[in-house]
Structure formats: C-alpha cells, structure tokens
Amino acid sequence: MLAIIQTRLITKYKSLVPKFPCPVCPEDQKTVTLDGNFQLRRRKANDNDTKKPIPGEFFLADNVQDKFERITSKSTASNTDPDEKNLCKSVYKAAELTYTSQNYSKFHERGVVECLCVHNIPLAFTNVYESGEKYKYALAILDTLQTTYKTNNFSIMYDIACRFQNSVKKAFPELVKNDKFGMAIGVSHAYSHSMSCQLKFNLRYLEGWGLINGEGLERLWSYLSGFVSMTRQMSAKRRMITLSDAIQHYKDKHIMTLPQVLKQRRRKAQELLDESMAFLSENVPNLLNEEFKRRWDEYVTRVCQEHGDRPCVQMNPEEADNADQVIELESEIKKAEKKVRTAVRALGTYERVVLEEGESRWCTDSAK
C-alpha cells in the first residue's frame, strides 16, 4: 500500500513543482516555520566582492528584501514603539549587534533565513547580507509565499513570534485579519520566554496546532552543516547553486518518506489520545470540557498575575556573544576527531601489515 501511495505522491509532486512543493499541505492553508542559520556564511574574496547573485528557485525572496527595509529589525526592536509596550520581556541577545562586530565584516552573506512547511518540506530561503537577523528577511519570505501560493491563510512558527507579530501586522494586515491566521513559538525555544508569553505562544498550550514541535528547521540545519566549510570560500554564484542543489535533495528525500512519517504521526497521536482519555476517565470521570476550560483560564490568569513578563531563563550576554564561536569550535573538534579516527585506522592497518610481514619472515627463517 505504501508503494502505491508513494507512486501517486511522486506523480502529483512532479506535476506541482515548483507551484506547490509540498504535496500534502492544503492548498488554501500554509503552516510554516521560520528561523535563521548564521553558520552558512560566505567570506568575501576582496572588499569589492559584494555583488548579489541571481536568486535560484529557493531564494526568490532575495528580490524583495528591500521592500521591507523600513520594518524594525529583530534585534533593535524596543519598547519605545507604542505597539510594543506589552511585548514579551524575555532576555535575548541582539543578533544585529552580535553580527556587526569586526569578526564578521569579512563576510558578505552572513547566513540564511529559512522556511519549512509543517511537514518539514523546504519552501523558501533568503540570504542575510551584512547584517543580523532583521525582520525584513522573514517578511520577504512571507511575501514570496503569498505571491507563489496565492493565499492569505498562514500560521507561522518563529522563535520570536511574540515580537514578530507586530511587524507582520504592519506589513501584511490582510493576513492578520484572516480567521485562520496564527503565530506560535517552537517548543524548545518557548521556555526562554516569560510565563505569560508561553501561555500565549507555546505550541503545547495552543489549540489547533496538534503535536508539532516547530523544530523541523533544526533537522535541516543538521543536514546543511555539512556544507558550511564547503561554501565558506565559494563565489556567491557557486554557493547559491550548491545550497540550492542540497536543499532540493533534502526536499525530494523527505517527500518520498511522507507516507511513513504521516502514518507514524497518526499512530502516536492516537496513542496519546487514548492514554489521555484513560487517565481523565480514571482520575476525574465527571470533568466536562467546559469545566476543564474554566480551570485552565483560571490557571492562566493566576500565572500571568504571579509571573508577569519575567523571563523563565536568564541569558548571559557574554555567553550569547560567544555562542557562535562555541558552535564553530564544536564543528572543528568533530572534524579533528574524524581525522584522528581515520589516522588510527590507517595506523592499525600499517601495523597489521608489518606484523604479518614479520611473521612471514620469521616462519621463512625458521624453515631454513
């Protein structure tokens, strides 16, 4: 049965590309994940190496970045804006300040902002040019998705969704007015936000988001980490081609495994539903949905009053400054460990050959 589904999936997929990259997402609704990756940087060959390449199929958002330049950057968002008085006051190190230091002046493309659908299929990307993770990059991707798929029904997951929502309201008022519009924060990122923010944006507390965790981009980053050192010294055009081919391979691979993935997700969801219903019927058999909702609302009100906008996790700015360097060191250590293992294997082979030759010579001498 899975083979039949895969065959039909391939046929439908080929007829839709590039119009609709994910064959199982509803055509009138898009649930997407956004985030930035600052490992995929490109070093400038010289001070004049700042020409942008012609965007490939996945990087069409590069063409509309300037359209959203006026939108406040992610890192410089402040509470001086009237619309941002009630924003989450979680402690975030400004990405803009982190990536404008002298160490990064030698890079033209300083990273990539990426977008996946809820099934972890790559949709759109855009390069970060000599700046931090400004809002304009994510907005450019949303504009490209809106133009490509001709829909205003979007649900967005972003690690700073609480702050990003005001920029979306300014840039795309038609999206926010839609009843199906929603914003959330990935499960692992949510715990660095204030308690009141978590209750509003944590995927585990929101209705209609299912069991998704919003961390699909982390898996894509893990895959693309193999291209970090490879593309670091490339020309802008070759880097664009290499990343596009790598993303295309990742997309094709995940589309082919969608039948198994969806089947597994459904089975886990059903198991969790059965376990939850069994627990509720055993411990609180008379609890109705209305009563449960009332108790939850009371809990939300109490938590907001007790915790307010205090962040759950205090981040050390100095540690945040060095985070990128730590990641690079970890990558270098892994490469060094791999070389050591290769050398050990080669040395072991050499010793074995020498030993075998010695034994052979000893046997020959003994025979004589």
Side-chain angles (χ1 to χ4, degrees):
M1 179 59 70
L2 286 178
I4 297 176
I5 295 175
Q6 282 185 327
T7 302
R8 294 178 179 177
L9 196 61
I10 294 172
T11 303
K12 181 181 179 181
Y13 167 61
K14 290 183 177 180
S15 66
L16 291 173
V17 172
K19 177 183 176 183
F20 199 70
C22 180
V24 294
C25 281
E27 295 189 11
D28 61 342
Q29 175 67 29
K30 276 290 182 185
T31 301
V32 300
T33 306
L34 294 165
D35 207 356
N37 183 343
F38 290 94
Q39 293 301 304
L40 294 169
R41 302 188 295 270
R42 186 187 72 86
R43 190 186 300 272
K44 292 187 288 188
N46 51 60
D47 293 339
N48 298 322
D49 185 14
T50 57
K51 183 179 180 180
K52 298 180 181 180
I54 299 175
E57 176 186 342
F58 290 103
F59 290 85
L60 296 178
D62 284 7
N63 293 327
V64 293
Q65 288 181 3
D66 295 339
K67 179 180 177 181
F68 303 100
E69 183 66 39
R70 62 184 177 81
I71 303 297
T72 307
S73 73
K74 165 182 175 176
S75 57
T76 56
S78 65
N79 292 333
T80 57
D81 191 328
D83 294 333
E84 298 186 0
K85 289 182 179 180
N86 299 318
L87 288 179
C88 169
K89 295 180 176 58
S90 302
V91 183
Y92 272 98
K93 180 61 185 174
E96 177 70 18
L97 298 179
T98 303
Y99 292 101
T100 53
S101 64
Q102 186 176 0
N103 292 335
Y104 292 91
S105 61
K106 52 192 170 186
F107 299 103
H108 185 227
E109 291 90 341
R110 297 188 181 178
V112 175
V113 175
E114 305 154 332
C115 175
L116 303 182
C117 75
V118 70
H119 304 105
N120 297 331
I121 305 301
L123 299 180
F125 297 73
T126 188
N127 287 297
V128 176
Y129 290 106
E130 299 188 350
S131 69
E133 191 177 348
K134 292 183 177 180
Y135 286 144
K136 70 174 184 178
Y137 300 113
L139 294 174
I141 287 179
L142 290 178
D143 182 81
T144 301
L145 295 178
Q146 188 181 28
T147 303
T148 304
Y149 305 121
K150 310 298 182 184
T151 180
N152 289 328
N153 298 331
F154 284 94
S155 297
I156 303 168
M157 292 173 282
Y158 200 7
D159 62 347
I160 39 97
C162 51
R163 292 181 175 273
F164 184 56
Q165 63 175 348
N166 286 331
S167 297
V168 176
K169 290 178 182 178
K170 296 174 184 177
F172 305 101
E174 68 281 3
L175 297 185
V176 181
K177 294 177 182 178
N178 197 297
D179 294 337
K180 295 183 179 181
F181 176 79
M183 296 197 70
I185 299 173
V187 175
S188 67
H189 289 88
Y191 296 106
S192 62
H193 291 249
S194 62
M195 283 300 300
S196 59
C197 180
Q198 289 189 47
L199 294 172
K200 298 173 185 176
F201 293 98
N202 191 330
L203 281 168
R204 290 294 174 259
Y205 300 149
L206 299 180
E207 184 178 355
W209 292 84
L211 295 176
I212 57 178
N213 56 25
E215 304 299 337
L217 277 169
E218 306 297 333
R219 303 179 185 94
L220 176 60
W221 289 355
S222 177
Y223 165 73
L224 291 177
S225 64
F227 298 89
V228 171
S229 58
M230 181 190 307
T231 58
R232 183 63 54 85
Q233 308 293 341
M234 285 184 175
S235 66
K237 183 177 180 180
R238 289 182 181 275
R239 173 181 174 274
M240 179 78 73
I241 294 173
T242 301
L243 290 180
S244 297
D245 288 344
I247 296 167
Q248 183 67 52
H249 173 75
Y250 183 89
K251 181 178 75 172
D252 293 341
K253 178 181 176 181
H254 276 68
I255 285 180
M256 293 303 101
T257 59
L258 274 176
Q260 294 95 325
V261 171
L262 295 177
K263 181 180 178 181
Q264 183 180 21
R265 286 186 181 182
R266 187 182 186 281
R267 186 184 72 251
K268 289 184 176 180
Q270 188 62 49
E271 291 176 355
L272 180 60
L273 178 62
D274 294 341
E275 291 175 3
S276 301
M277 295 303 295
F279 176 84
L280 291 174
S281 60
E282 180 180 353
N283 295 277
V284 281
N286 299 322
L287 182 63
L288 302 176
N289 288 338
E290 293 78 9
E291 176 66 14
F292 186 81
K293 187 178 185 305
R294 185 185 67 79
R295 293 186 184 183
W296 172 254
D297 291 340
E298 291 178 354
Y299 170 76
V300 170
T301 302
R302 185 173 68 255
V303 168
C304 290
Q305 290 175 350
E306 293 177 357
H307 295 273
D309 289 328
R310 286 180 295 169
C312 297
V313 179
Q314 295 289 340
M315 298 175 64
N316 188 330
E318 294 181 0
E319 293 179 354
D321 257 340
N322 297 326
D324 191 72
Q325 297 179 16
V326 171
I327 294 174
E328 283 192 358
L329 286 174
E330 289 178 349
S331 177
E332 294 298 327
I333 290 173
K334 290 180 180 179
K335 292 178 183 177
E337 289 177 345
K338 184 178 180 180
K339 291 180 180 180
V340 169
R341 287 195 297 269
T342 303
V344 169
R345 285 196 296 268
L347 181 60
T349 303
Y350 172 76
E351 290 178 344
R352 187 169 60 253
V353 171
V354 171
L355 181 62
E356 290 175 354
E357 290 181 353
E359 289 178 349
S360 177
R361 291 173 182 174
W362 181 82
C363 292
T364 304
D365 294 338
S366 299
K368 291 180 179 180

